[in-house]
Amino acid sequence: SLFGRPVRLRPSTTPPPRLARPYLHLAAMLSPVAEQQEQQQAQQQESQEHEQQEQQQQPEAPQARAVPIAFLTRRKMTLRANIASSGRRIVASQGWLAVIATFLAFFSWTAYWRSASECATSPMSLKSWFLGAFVIDCIFILLFLFAMYSGLSVMDEQLTSARSRSRDEPAPADDDIDISETTFLDCAVWAGLVAVVAFVVVFVWSVLGFVAIADSGRDEAQEENCSYGRRYFWYLCIFTLVTMCLCGAGNVADAHVSRGASSRPAAASPSAESTAEAAV
């Protein structure tokens, strides 16, 4: 009110000055662009927050998958290089070990049938121990035959690739070869890992056999009932420990343990071709 009289304010109908008109048009043009930018920034922030939540929920999953893959890749590279340098020796020793395991399995089965059922020892009877030794020997037969077949297949692939490279193109570098494409290398690596576990089982089974033999001589009647079992046990246990745990472990080490830089260039050498050709 002005001097006691009410005053009504009316909107101004005068146009803005000419200098302010371009700025008003520019503000009207930029207002939708600013809104779009704000929406894009909000979407980016939401996506970043979502990604951070997913990473916090599964922080170690990619690393857990990458560790065994890298380990198997290194094992395949080492096995490939060792087979290329001395594949014939590795495959031949695997064949001999399979033959020896066959004789040990036959010997274990014979001892199982000839040992007396009255020989009740602790923690297990000698008859049960011979049956377990027979099963372990059969597992070794399958492992060595499978490893020998995988090694021969890898040598055949190396021979075929060496022949094709000698005809068409030069040999590629060792890092340019895709190891994941070779199925037989995967089979040979897993056979070596299973063989290591089997060696540990043989050692534990032998210790249980020693405990059973020590319990078989607690009295004269028990010693008489276990006379055949004791005789078979010493021959079988000694030959099994020597052949499987020493010779077999040496073969696995010869195939799967890296030998340094001397075994890397052998994959593309002419000696590898002749070695694979002679074995195949």
Side-chain angles (χ1 to χ4, degrees), residues 14-190:
T14 58
R18 293 182 179 181
L19 295 175
R21 289 177 184 178
Y23 296 101
L24 293 175
H25 290 294
L26 182 61
M29 293 174 59
L30 292 178
S31 58
V33 177
E35 292 178 357
Q36 291 179 358
Q37 290 180 354
E38 290 179 357
Q39 292 178 358
Q40 291 178 357
Q41 290 178 358
Q43 291 178 357
Q44 291 178 357
Q45 290 179 358
E46 290 179 358
S47 62
Q48 289 178 359
E49 291 177 357
H50 184 67
E51 291 178 356
Q52 289 178 359
Q53 290 178 359
E54 290 182 351
Q55 291 178 358
Q56 290 177 359
Q57 291 176 358
Q58 299 177 352
E60 297 181 356
Q63 295 180 359
R65 289 193 299 266
V67 170
I69 292 175
F71 173 76
L72 292 177
T73 303
R74 289 195 300 269
R75 293 302 94 201
K76 287 189 288 186
M77 292 286 291
T78 302
L79 178 62
R80 178 182 172 274
N82 292 340
I83 289 179
S85 60
S86 57
R88 184 164 59 178
R89 182 184 65 202
I90 294 172
V91 172
S93 60
Q94 289 171 350
W96 279 110
L97 287 170
V99 172
I100 294 172
T102 304
F103 280 106
L104 289 175
F106 175 77
F107 194 73
S108 301
W109 188 253
T110 304
Y112 170 75
W113 280 107
R114 291 197 175 186
S115 59
S117 301
E118 293 80 7
C119 180
T121 56
S122 179
M124 66 180 65
S125 63
L126 289 180
K127 199 174 184 67
S128 301
W129 189 89
F130 290 134
L131 181 61
F134 171 76
V135 174
I136 292 174
D137 291 331
C138 291
I139 293 174
F140 271 115
I141 293 171
L142 296 177
L143 279 176
F144 287 129
L145 289 177
F146 185 73
M148 183 174 63
Y149 175 75
S150 301
L152 288 173
S153 302
V154 172
M155 292 172 67
D156 182 65
E157 289 182 357
Q158 290 178 355
L159 176 61
T160 303
S161 61
R163 287 177 176 175
S164 62
R165 289 196 301 266
S166 62
R167 295 172 185 174
D168 300 332
E169 56 186 8
D174 190 61
D175 296 335
D176 296 337
I177 300 173
D178 189 5
I179 301 298
S180 61
E181 295 179 356
T182 307
T183 306
F184 294 108
L185 278 174
D186 296 329
C187 298
V189 168
W190 283 109

Side-chain angles (χ1 to χ4, degrees), residues 215-235:
D215 187 69
S216 65
R218 63 177 180 267
D219 52 23
E220 294 181 358
Q222 185 75 1
E223 188 174 357
E224 185 178 356
N225 293 329
C226 300
S227 59
Y228 286 101
R230 290 166 63 91
R231 195 179 310 165
Y232 280 110
F233 171 80
W234 289 112
Y235 289 113

